[in-house]
Structure formats: structure tokens, C-alpha cells
Amino acid sequence: LLDMGPLSPMMLLPLAVIVPGLSAFGPPFSICPGLRGTGTMRRSQNSEFLTKRVESCSLAQRSALHAEASGPLTRTIVLAENKMAILSDAKGLGFIEGVLRLPLRWFLMACLFALRLTSILAHPVRFLLAFRKLSAPPSAISPHSPTTVPSPIISAAISMTPSVTSATMTTRREANEQKKRDMLVFGGKMCSDDEMAALETLEQKVKLMLIAKGDTAMGTQMDVEWLRNLSSVNLIPHLRATGRNIDKTCANILRTACWRQSFGVAQLMQNSSRWKLEGFFDSHGAEREVDWLPEFAETNGARNPVLLYRSAKHTPSGIPENQWLKFFVYQCEWARTRYPAHQVVLLVDRVGSGISNQDPTVLRALAPIIQDHYPQLIGKIYIAPVNPVLSIIWAIVCIILDDETQSVVQLISGDDWMLDLRALIKAKWLPMRLGGDLSESAELAWAAGERHD
């Protein structure tokens, strides 16, 4: 009933050896109490006296009594000896009977109950030990330790118990890193493992730079708020511009923060109405020569902002140079803030443009700002149409340019330049002079729309 299993014979075996030896201690009471009151040995004064005399006699004296006695006396002597033998046997069996009746019985039951209780308590202990061993990391298990196979019950329980092992944590960490890497895409290019590692180091150095210089006198000379708000996506173009050189990237970021403070970029963005497309040209009484095309203007479906520049409407001395610089800085800041993971596509409309519309002074002042403080902002430059003279000049300039810079600029020339341009920009957003479907009146109405917020 107690379901001791293999422990039952092990427990009863020492009892079978010990109990027979306990008979030497004498009986507390007789195993056969009825013998004292049976009808076989009826007590009388003579028989009792004779029995006592026989019990007190030695073996030689008993033999003499048998020789002298006869008849009833002989029968009385024999009965007395039989009684002595019975009492002698009962003397050894009485203790066993008493132990079996009360003490040993309760002792056995107590032992069996204790073993059963230990067996019941051992189940959760074995379960916890097996669970701990299975959930331990592989490095915590000695290669020389024996391999234990858990029982089906324990295996089922463990399978239902959510355990976080080192392998599971590693898998989750890799999944989170991969998810973060998939989210870190700039200019249509996903971050590599080397870039992720360099980016983490760069973020730590930027934080240390803020702590070291944010509260000092130099902190008043740089745009601390811009440094605090730099995200991983904002740091990627700076990192790629230096070829993942972390020290050089940190130096460039520090210079950019100082330039932004001296140029007043934060104040420029606060007074946005003056530098928006809708307000800049109207305030100077000039024709609108720059505009942003609607989103997804490219045929490839990218969300890159496309800036249309009409060079034929530019007057070199019409607007002061410093005003042009602030205007273009505002446009660069707007594009990087609204499209942080994208690059600007610049479409240069050269239809009707001549030498009188060229203004190299603004370009010379603007180029270093974009290169140093807005790295990799310009993703592609389409120039259309291009005459043979400009093609020759560009071929000469390419000698001193690297391959990456050459791949940014694309000259669209030839008799089919309109078809080539339509393959890059959607026709519904291209003016008819560039081979698109947008009429001049529709272009003016579209340009006057309030879209640049």
C-alpha cells in the first residue's frame, strides 16, 4: 500500500536478522497466556506442591523421582516437566510477540511512512536538479561529467517550462542586432557588421565628448543640442564619409557642431518662413528657380527628395551671396531632418541656360559647406540637357575626381535625352520642356502650392 518498491525487502531484511536475537531479553508477557488456565493442568495443592518440587530439582533428582514414583505421582511429575518446557519456550517467544503486537509494528509503520515521505519530497528535488542542469549554459557543464538522460516526465515538464538559456539569449541578441541593422539603412544601403561595430564606438565617443565639453567654455561655442539629438542614422553619413575612421569622424562632428553654432543654424530653422521656397524668392522679387518635387518622383519608387533647379532663371547678382548660402543651408537642413535616411536627388534643368546664368561664386561657397557639414547629402545629380562643350569640360574634371564622386553625377545628352530623363523621373512630374507631361501653367500652379513645410 505504501508503494516502497525495491526498498521494502531492503528494509525488512535487517529486521529478519535482528528480531530473532531479541529473545534473550525475556518476555514482558506470554505468547500463550491460555496455557496457564487450560484444563490440562488443573491446579491443586498437591500438584502445585509437586510441580514446585520438580522445578527445584536437578536432572539427577528428577531421574530418581521417576524411578521411585508410580501411578498418579509419575503422571504429575511428567505434567510438571511439560509445563516447565512450555514455559521455557514461551519465555523466548513472549518478547517477540509483544514487540510484534505493539512496538515493532508501529516502528515498521513509522519507518515505512518516513521512507514514503522522503520519496515524495525527493521528486521535486530531483526535478529542480534536473531542470537546473538542463537550463545551465554549456560552459557550466564539465566535459568529463557523465551525461544524465532525464525521465520522460521531467522532459515533458521542462518542455512546458519557459527557460532562457545562453543559446536562447544569444539568438535573441542576434535577432535584435539584425533587426536594428535592417532598420539602419541610409541612401538605400544597409549597414554592414563593420559599420555597426564602428557606429557603437562612435556613439560612445560622442557621449563622452558631450560630457567633457558640454559644460565647459567650449560648450558655448558649439551646437550642444544638435550633438545630443544625433541618432544612429544621422551618424552613418559622417562615418561613411571618412571610411569608418572613428577618430576622424569625431573630429568632423566636433567641427560641424562649432560651425552650426557660429552660422546660426538653430536660429535659421526657427525663422523658417523667411527661408522657405514660398518666402525667399518673393521677398527678393525674383523668379522661383528652385523647387522640391513631390515624394516618389523617381521611377524606381524611392522616397528620395528631388530638388529641381532651373538654371535659366538664375541671375548672378540678383540675390546676395550670404542670402543664397542661408537659403541652401536651410534646404539642406530641412531635407536631412525630414528624410534622415535618404539622399537628395538634384535635377539641373539647363533648357535655355547660357553663360549669363552661370554663378560660380555661390557654388564655390556652398560646396565646402555641403561636403564638410552635410556629408553624403547629395545622392545623385542629373544634368540635362548637356551640350558637347560641357561634356568635354566634365571629362577633364573627372581626372581629379574619385570613382564615387563621378558616379554621383550623371550627364544626360544625345538626341534621346528626354527619353532617358523620363526613365529616371516620372513624366507626370516633369515639365514638358524636359520631356514630361506637365504644362507650363500646371507647373506654375504646382510650384505656387504650399508643400514645403
Side-chain angles (χ1 to χ4, degrees):
L1 293 177
L2 295 177
D3 188 21
M4 287 306 300
L7 293 179
S8 299
M10 296 176 61
M11 186 64 196
L12 296 178
L13 181 59
L15 294 177
V17 177
I18 295 172
V19 170
L22 298 177
S23 60
F25 294 94
F29 47 82
S30 175
I31 192 171
C32 301
L35 290 177
R36 293 177 180 176
T38 58
T40 307
M41 298 181 65
R42 299 187 182 275
R43 291 175 174 79
S44 62
Q45 292 182 357
N46 294 333
S47 62
E48 289 180 0
F49 173 76
L50 206 52
T51 301
K52 292 179 180 180
R53 290 292 303 273
V54 172
E55 290 176 355
S56 62
C57 292
S58 62
L59 187 58
Q61 291 174 347
R62 291 178 190 177
S63 301
L65 286 174
H66 279 286
E68 297 175 358
S70 63
L73 182 59
T74 304
R75 186 170 57 253
T76 302
I77 295 173
V78 173
L79 290 175
E81 290 179 346
N82 291 339
K83 179 182 177 181
M84 291 174 59
I86 292 173
L87 290 177
S88 177
D89 295 337
K91 188 176 183 180
L93 296 175
F95 177 76
I96 299 175
E97 181 195 18
V99 172
L100 290 175
R101 281 189 176 184
L102 289 177
L104 183 58
R105 185 181 303 171
W106 288 106
F107 175 75
L108 287 175
M109 292 182 67
C111 291
L112 296 177
F113 178 79
L115 289 174
R116 182 57 177 170
L117 183 62
T118 304
S119 177
I120 293 173
L121 296 177
H123 281 294
V125 175
R126 288 198 300 265
F127 173 81
L128 292 175
L129 291 176
F131 175 76
R132 182 179 179 183
K133 186 169 184 179
L134 289 176
S135 60
S139 59
I141 301 177
S142 174
H144 303 289
S145 60
T147 304
T148 57
V149 180
S151 64
I153 298 177
I154 296 178
S155 300
I158 292 173
S159 63
M160 293 185 294
T161 305
S163 59
V164 182
T165 61
S166 59
T168 305
M169 294 179 63
T170 303
T171 304
R172 291 180 181 177
R173 183 168 56 252
E174 291 177 353
N176 293 334
E177 291 178 356
Q178 182 64 34
K179 185 178 180 180
K180 182 179 179 180
R181 190 181 303 114
D182 294 342
M183 295 175 60
L184 289 179
V185 179
F186 178 80
K189 184 179 178 182
M190 188 180 300
C191 286
S192 62
D193 295 337
D194 295 338
E195 286 179 337
M196 288 294 298
L199 192 60
E200 292 179 1
T201 306
L202 180 61
E203 290 175 347
Q204 295 296 328
K205 287 200 170 188
V206 171
K207 292 179 181 178
L208 294 176
M209 184 168 56
L210 272 171
I211 296 174
K213 301 179 181 180
D215 298 332
T216 61
M218 189 175 183
T220 60
Q221 302 176 7
M222 61 184 184
D223 193 344
V224 179
E225 191 66 24
W226 175 75
L227 283 175
R228 288 198 184 100
N229 296 329
L230 280 177
S231 63
S232 300
V233 179
N234 300 137
L235 292 175
I236 291 175
H238 292 272
L239 189 63
R240 289 179 177 176
T242 60
R244 297 197 299 271
N245 189 324
I246 299 176
D247 295 335
K248 189 176 180 180
T249 304
C250 287
N252 291 346
I253 291 176
L254 183 59
R255 282 195 295 268
T256 298
C258 296
W259 169 83
R260 292 174 64 90
Q261 185 71 10
S262 61
F263 194 85
V265 177
Q267 293 77 13
L268 199 68
M269 300 305 296
Q270 291 176 358
N271 191 15
S272 58
S273 59
R274 181 179 179 182
W275 308 107
K276 280 185 176 181
L277 296 175
E278 294 77 19
F280 178 73
F281 294 101
D282 294 341
S283 62
H284 291 87
E287 288 189 79
R288 188 166 172 171
E289 56 189 83
V290 178
D291 204 350
W292 292 100
L293 298 185
E295 292 183 351
F296 304 103
E298 293 182 279
T299 56
N300 58 8
R303 197 168 175 249
N304 297 322
V306 180
L307 182 65
L308 176 63
Y309 170 64
R310 305 177 184 91
S311 61
K313 294 186 178 183
H314 178 71
T315 303
S317 59
I319 301 176
E321 178 182 333
N322 64 331
Q323 298 294 304
W324 274 115
L325 290 180
K326 291 183 178 181
F327 169 76
F328 278 113
V329 166
Y330 178 88
Q331 305 307 318
C332 293
E333 192 71 16
W334 175 85
R336 178 134 291 182
T337 303
R338 183 163 181 172
Y339 304 94
H342 298 269
Q343 293 176 294
V344 174
V345 176
L346 178 60
L347 175 58
V348 180
D349 177 9
R350 294 191 68 256
V351 176
S353 176
I355 299 177
S356 59
N357 305 116
Q358 307 305 315
D359 193 359
T361 56
V362 176
L363 184 60
R364 283 197 302 264
L366 184 61
I369 295 177
I370 296 178
Q371 183 178 359
D372 296 339
H373 309 304
Y374 297 95
Q376 299 195 355
L377 176 67
I378 306 298
K380 204 72 178 176
I381 299 177
Y382 299 127
I383 302 177
V386 176
N387 54 33
V389 177
L390 185 58
S391 298
I392 295 174
I393 296 175
W394 174 248
I396 297 174
V397 173
C398 286
I399 298 176
I400 59 175
L401 297 179
D402 56 6
D403 296 337
E404 184 177 357
T405 305
Q406 294 182 34
S407 63
V408 172
V409 181
Q410 182 174 348
L411 303 181
I412 302 176
S413 58
D415 297 336
D416 298 332
W417 66 270
M418 290 186 178
L419 295 177
D420 295 340
L421 190 58
R422 287 169 64 100
L424 300 172
I425 307 297
K426 294 179 181 179
K428 64 178 180 178
W429 301 122
L430 275 177
M432 295 183 66
R433 64 180 181 275
L434 295 177
D437 301 334
L438 200 63
S439 62
E440 184 176 359
S441 59
E443 178 186 356
L444 292 176
W446 163 69
E450 192 75 25
R451 298 175 317 282
H452 189 208
D453 49 6

